[in-house]
Each structure stands twice: as structure tokens, then as C-alpha cells.
Amino acid sequence: MTHRVYIGLGSNIGDRYFYLTTALKQLESHENIQVTKFSSIYETDPVGFTNQGKFLNLVAEIHTTLSPHALLHVTQRIESALKRVRTVRWGPRTIDLDILLFNDENIRMNDLLIPHPRMHERAFVLIPLVEIAADAYVPTQSCSVRTLANALPKREKETVVLWKHQMGVEIDRIKSM
């Protein structure tokens, strides 16, 4: 069975664009993952731990035959390969890959919560996600991504600034990034 999954990617250390595009390429190179589209790249202020540089963020849609837990292991391996170090919660990172949505499922495991538990309050997730999947359903909130994004305070939305326009670009563009 093939699953439709949305993954949030973020980077705020070093060559942020390199880390985002390399992570996309590594996702695409996995034999059980096909990146079908991805959003534009947005520059965003840090959330939580704010004494750090701005992030570049995007959201990718993938199709995969992997289970949620197997996909988590793939994303963690990509983070590790790109030298992700976890020292401060919500701190600086070369790359962060978060599984946002997995079909329309509500998944609760010890080490994995899907939908991502804080996505509904984060403009840096919702704005790029609206770009490629506005009607995607968020079961924990019982509404669409568009509804959640529209409910965000204006000041939150203003912290998400278009950095590189891509508007749901197909995967062939990854090779030229």
C-alpha cells in the first residue's frame, strides 16, 4: 500500500539551502520513497529557543510504502548523515525532518506522534503546507490545513517570508537544485 505523507524540513546552520536540497535528494533516492512535490522555501524566525539564526523551511509531499515507524528511521538517518546534533530543544540544526501527516491517520507511539503535535500552531509549517496541500485533513484538529493556517494570528504569518518560490515543484527540479 502506498501512503501520502507530508514532511517538514528546516535548517538554520551553515548552508541552509544545501541541507534542505540534500535532504530532499536523500529522501528521493530511497527505494521506497518518491518525492512528488514540494513547497517554496520560506525564511522564518526561530520558535521556542529564539537565540539563534533564521531558518529555511519547506514541506515535501512523498509517496511511500514504508510504515510510519520505518519512515521515522529513514528521516533520522538523513538527519544523522547531515550532522544533525541535538543539544538544545528547538535549538540550531543543520537539518530537521518532521513527519507532519501520514494519510489521514492519527498515530500515537512512544517515539512518534502523527499528525505532528505542534504543527497546528506553527506558521512555518502551515504556510508551506497550504501551498501544496491546502485541503489535507488534520485528524487531531478535525479540519483542513487551510482552516488551521487561516486561524493563525497575523503576526505569526508575517514571520514567514518567501525565500525561494517553487510552488509545488515536481521532483525533476530537485536534480537541478
Side-chain angles (χ1 to χ4, degrees), residues 1-6 62 64-72 99-107 112 114-116 137 139:
M1 175 180 207
T2 301
H3 309 284
R4 177 177 288 144
V5 181
Y6 296 96
I62 69 167
T64 184
T65 55
L66 296 172
S67 70
H69 213 254
L71 180 59
L72 174 65
I99 302 171
L100 304 173
L101 298 169
F102 195 97
N103 299 320
D104 291 337
E105 297 176 36
N106 189 359
I107 299 166
L112 183 61
I114 302 172
H116 189 282
Y137 182 71

Side-chain angles (χ1 to χ4, degrees), residues 77-97:
R77 281 196 303 270
I78 292 170
E79 288 177 345
S80 180
L82 294 176
K83 310 291 187 235
R84 164 83 190 259
V85 177
R86 297 172 192 270
T87 55
V88 176
R89 184 172 187 186
W90 298 318
R93 62 205 78 159
T94 55
I95 193 68
D96 186 30
L97 288 93

Side-chain angles (χ1 to χ4, degrees), residues 1-175:
M1 175 180 207
T2 301
H3 309 284
R4 177 177 288 144
V5 181
Y6 296 96
I7 297 179
L9 293 87
S11 174
N12 79 331
I13 295 178
D15 187 341
R16 303 171 301 167
Y17 182 73
F18 168 81
Y19 288 118
L20 288 179
T21 56
T22 301
L24 278 173
K25 289 174 186 177
Q26 288 187 13
L27 283 169
E28 175 63 18
S29 70
H30 192 282
E31 64 186 11
N32 297 88
I33 296 174
Q34 178 188 10
V35 178
T36 51
K37 58 184 156 179
F38 52 95
S39 71
S40 298
I41 299 172
Y42 294 85
E43 188 169 55
T44 64
D45 292 334
V47 172
F49 179 70
T50 57
N51 188 19
Q52 59 182 319
K54 291 184 180 250
F55 280 82
L56 289 184
N57 293 98
L58 66 81
V59 172
E61 176 189 81
I62 69 167
H63 291 175
T64 184
T65 55
L66 296 172
S67 70
H69 213 254
L71 180 59
L72 174 65
H73 288 296
V74 169
T75 61
Q76 290 175 336
R77 281 196 303 270
I78 292 170
E79 288 177 345
S80 180
L82 294 176
K83 310 291 187 235
R84 164 83 190 259
V85 177
R86 297 172 192 270
T87 55
V88 176
R89 184 172 187 186
W90 298 318
R93 62 205 78 159
T94 55
I95 193 68
D96 186 30
L97 288 93
D98 289 325
I99 302 171
L100 304 173
L101 298 169
F102 195 97
N103 299 320
D104 291 337
E105 297 176 36
N106 189 359
I107 299 166
R108 298 289 175 254
M109 299 178 184
N110 288 337
D111 58 348
L112 183 61
L113 301 174
I114 302 172
H116 189 282
R118 289 171 301 282
M119 69 176 275
H120 66 281
E121 58 194 33
R122 294 193 167 160
F124 68 84
V125 170
L126 292 173
I127 290 173
L129 186 53
V130 162
E131 188 179 309
I132 63 171
D135 295 325
Y137 182 71
V138 183
T140 53
Q141 302 299 312
S142 300
C143 63
S144 71
V145 169
R146 177 186 288 114
T147 300
L148 292 173
N150 288 340
L152 288 171
K154 183 179 178 183
R155 69 184 181 284
E156 299 265 336
K157 294 178 195 177
E158 290 171 348
T159 67
V160 180
V161 178
L162 182 66
W163 190 81
K164 182 174 171 129
H165 183 69
Q166 305 192 122
M167 196 58 172
V169 175
E170 298 301 322
I171 192 60
D172 290 340
R173 287 283 310 276
I174 288 178
K175 295 173 177 77

